[in-house]
Amino acid sequence: WYLPENAFYRLLLDPDKKIKPYGRIELPNLYPYQNDCLSQMVHQTRLLVSLSPGMGKTVVVSEFLRYLRTYGEKGSNLNTLIVAPKALHYVWKQHIEKYLGITPTIRSYGFVGGVEVTNIQHISKVDFVTDVDVLIVDESIQLKNKDSQNYRIIKDLLSICESVYFLSGSPYSKNISDLWAQLNLLYPGIFTSYWDFAKIF
């Protein structure tokens, strides 16, 4: 069958191809698989983080943000927007306070930097005074429908975001083609055609 001409799809033809590993980060309070995830996040600016429910996505992201604020070039001036369902805002607030030692802003109407937690539906009401250095989208399965308003809102937001990380314990529900919209947002130059993806997977 036809495969789009890019590195990702070529891996399907050569699944044993060795990929150069990233430099590993080892934090003593994380499990090995969490350190694997953290290392990937530090070395990539776009990533879908899919750890099963209860495996510590929020912990890994909290450590990631602490790492960037400690060792990154922007330090404590790192502007972070966490987009999560409202029911999870208190969880994110607790983690940010515990790991970063600051209280995040919750659902403001003007993003002026720092760390903020909001939900997708609220984003269209926000005046972005500054760009977003790190965008975290929790429960990214909310973006699985390429024709949905959620997808369009995040797509518009990406133009002012430097690094983007999607989190999901279950990134697809019915079939793997649910992943396309999320992957298209992260890597639009690779996942260009929904129908190619759906046909292959």
Side-chain angles (χ1 to χ4, degrees), residues 2 38 43 75 79 101 133 149 151 159 164-165 171 175 177 200:
Y2 165 77
L38 174 64
H43 290 95
N79 295 330
D133 297 318
Q149 185 176 7
Y151 172 88
S159 64
V164 183
Y165 304 93
N175 59 66
S177 63
I200 293 166

Side-chain angles (χ1 to χ4, degrees), residues 171-194:
Y172 64 92
S173 54
K174 292 183 179 178
N175 59 66
I176 202 168
S177 63
D178 287 347
L179 275 171
W180 183 85
Q182 298 165 73
L183 295 173
N184 169 257
L185 290 170
L186 289 170
Y187 314 109
I190 294 177
F191 298 96
T192 56
S193 166
Y194 170 79

